[in-house]
Amino acid sequence: MTVKRCSHYVEVGPGKVSAPIRCQAFAPVQIRRATDTADFRAAAFLRAASFYSYSPDRSQYAARIHQRMKGDAEWAAIEAKVSGTDNNYKVMHGYLEPSTRLPAQDSATSQQVVGTLDLNQGLKLPSEELIGHLPRQSSRLQRAYLSNVCSAKAFQRQGVAAKMIQVAAEDAIKQGVERLYVHVAHDNHTAMHLYCKRCGFHQEQSESEGYARALSRPRRYLLCQRLV
């Protein structure tokens, strides 16, 4: 079963973010759909920076090379989804957030991508066994999944992720989605608080310990939010 439509969202704001500098708490940000190569590249390298960590004994050079390799791979994957050359995705849309720098426009203010997520519209994600059950008589367009949700460290705990999720949910409703799903590791308490306490999700399913152990990863929950 393929994903019928995949949307990619990002949030963009002014200024330059470089760790360990902390951004201002109320820096203006804007969530929008990613539309061009610069947006997709920025989102890809933000994901590479967010999803991978390195042991202290690994050289900085080796870590940067690995991160660049993962960023290039994610960039290629996003471009394939958007262009339709990835057969698992028919349509892909994207939303960015301010943490990776974008090419300068006419404005004197620079912009960076600091967050990203995908909205995947379909009955299930490709190669995913933990799938939603609602609506029970669902067409492909009535169910959607969030994936690749991340934000830059300098912008965490400032409502960036919640804002992106809200915009993605509003867009999903316009596309006919009735239930929005997301997979979360059972020990990711920060993510559980974000989805369940701030965004209105509830737990619908959970994996067994044996199944997760067989795949050498933490047990996961499948969370659900009713949109309409």
Side-chain angles (χ1 to χ4, degrees):
M1 184 67 66
T2 60
V3 172
K4 183 65 177 177
R5 182 180 289 112
C6 181
S7 303
H8 177 71
Y9 295 77
V10 297
E11 188 169 345
V12 181
K16 189 176 185 179
V17 179
S18 57
I21 298 174
R22 184 173 179 177
C23 65
Q24 296 180 357
F26 299 100
V29 294
Q30 172 192 9
I31 297 177
R32 61 177 172 81
R33 180 171 293 179
T35 57
D36 57 29
T37 296
D39 288 346
F40 302 142
R41 181 187 184 279
F45 280 88
L46 175 59
R47 292 179 185 183
S50 300
F51 294 152
Y52 297 93
S53 58
Y54 305 95
S55 61
D57 58 346
R58 189 167 189 174
S59 72
Q60 186 177 17
Y61 175 78
R64 288 174 65 88
I65 291 297
H66 181 266
Q67 194 174 83
R68 177 59 183 268
M69 179 185 68
K70 291 298 184 181
D72 285 338
E74 183 63 31
W75 185 11
I78 292 175
E79 292 279 13
K81 292 174 183 177
V82 173
S83 65
T85 56
D86 185 336
N87 291 329
N88 287 318
Y89 297 85
K90 299 302 182 183
V91 181
M92 167 102 181
H93 310 285
Y95 297 80
L96 303 173
E97 182 204 77
S99 176
T100 308
R101 193 167 190 176
L102 297 175
Q105 305 295 325
D106 295 336
S107 171
T109 303
S110 62
Q111 291 186 325
Q112 293 188 315
V113 174
V114 297
T116 174
L117 66 77
D118 290 344
L119 174 66
N120 310 277
Q121 192 170 0
L123 291 179
K124 60 175 290 188
L125 290 174
S127 304
E128 179 58 68
E129 298 298 327
L130 192 60
I131 65 175
H133 291 160
L134 299 173
R136 298 195 181 278
Q137 302 298 324
S138 176
S139 72
R140 289 186 181 183
L141 300 182
Q142 292 175 292
R143 194 180 297 166
Y145 297 81
L146 296 177
S147 63
N148 295 313
V149 181
C150 68
S151 59
K153 290 183 178 180
F155 281 79
Q156 290 176 357
R157 300 184 183 279
Q158 296 189 41
V160 167
K163 186 177 178 183
M164 286 194 299
I165 293 168
Q166 178 185 356
V167 172
E170 291 170 353
D171 190 61
I173 292 173
K174 296 176 183 177
Q175 302 297 331
V177 175
E178 296 183 11
R179 295 294 195 283
L180 183 61
Y181 287 92
V182 65
H183 297 84
V184 180
H186 81 284
D187 56 355
N188 190 339
H189 303 299
T190 299
M192 289 294 292
H193 182 271
L194 167 66
Y195 292 115
C196 296
K197 300 297 184 182
R198 300 192 61 187
C199 298
F201 284 78
H202 66 273
Q203 181 182 332
E204 182 179 291
Q205 298 182 58
S206 65
E207 290 177 330
S208 68
E209 289 285 0
Y211 183 80
R213 194 180 304 115
L215 296 177
S216 301
R217 59 168 170 72
R219 184 165 60 94
R220 297 178 307 159
Y221 296 134
L222 180 64
L223 309 182
C224 177
Q225 181 189 43
R226 181 173 180 173
L227 299 182
V228 294

